[in-house]
Amino acid sequence: MFNQRGREFSSRQAPRRDHLRSAVVIGLGRFGSALGQELMDSGVEVLAIDDDPKVVQEFKGQFTSVVRADATSQQALEELGVSDFAAVVVAIGTDLEASVLTTSRLLAMDNPPEIWAKAISEAHAQILEQLGVGHVIRPEHDMGLRTAHLLIGHALDFVSLDGGFALIRCQPPTATQQRPLDTLNLRQKYGVTVVALRRHGQQWSPVDPGTMLYDDDEIMVTGTKHDAEHFAGLDSK
């Protein structure tokens, strides 16, 4: 639980990526509230901040603590003990000025948490990056890219990765079925690697060299965007 200044948690010293235990979400619009609820479901304790009293009332009890505060105020952030948390997400929606000011206040802290910030446009993203934000989130941009690849390709799902790579979900092409994976030479032939398998509606599981694929399986494949999409569409060639 939080104390009055939000300083109960001191997980900043823990590895942030591997063991996130506490986070601050600033802005409880659709993006921020969904993100915060997913963090809660994953066992992360969440301090949620919004300046709208109706929004704060709406989300009472859904997060570890929900506070009405002006996040553009350095004093408010300090009083809430934001710097004691492992990560903070600036999820402010349409108010670019509030987003930039809040992010600036966070970066000005003596020992700031790991900062993630939502951008509502390319210009906004550039400003956040110039301020020094290490993690700029562009949900509409990223969803646009994902949808485009789903429209033009044969993937069931598509996630863009750094360096021009992608992770896609697809059905195994006919040429890869009923033969052990280690005999297919997928990396050499197609430039891809199968990393996981879901069979008959079961849970995803890792593959091993002797795994055989069937036409009703689903697989996760990684490679360059071009190679992964080419592989997913082999049966249409």
Side-chain angles (χ1 to χ4, degrees), residues 18 21 33 71 81 91 99 114 121 136 145 152 155 160 164 173 178 194 215-216 219 224 228 230:
D18 296 333
R21 300 186 186 280
S33 59
S99 169
E114 184 177 21
S121 67
V136 177
L145 291 179
I152 65 177
S160 181
Q178 302 187 48
V194 177
D215 60 0
D216 57 351
I219 55 176
T224 66
H230 172 76

Side-chain angles (χ1 to χ4, degrees), residues 146-172:
R146 176 174 174 267
T147 302
H149 284 283
L150 293 177
L151 283 171
I152 65 177
H154 301 274
L156 302 174
D157 206 349
F158 179 97
V159 178
S160 181
L161 306 175
D162 289 341
F165 278 72
L167 177 70
I168 69 168
R169 175 170 63 93
C170 65
Q171 292 179 308

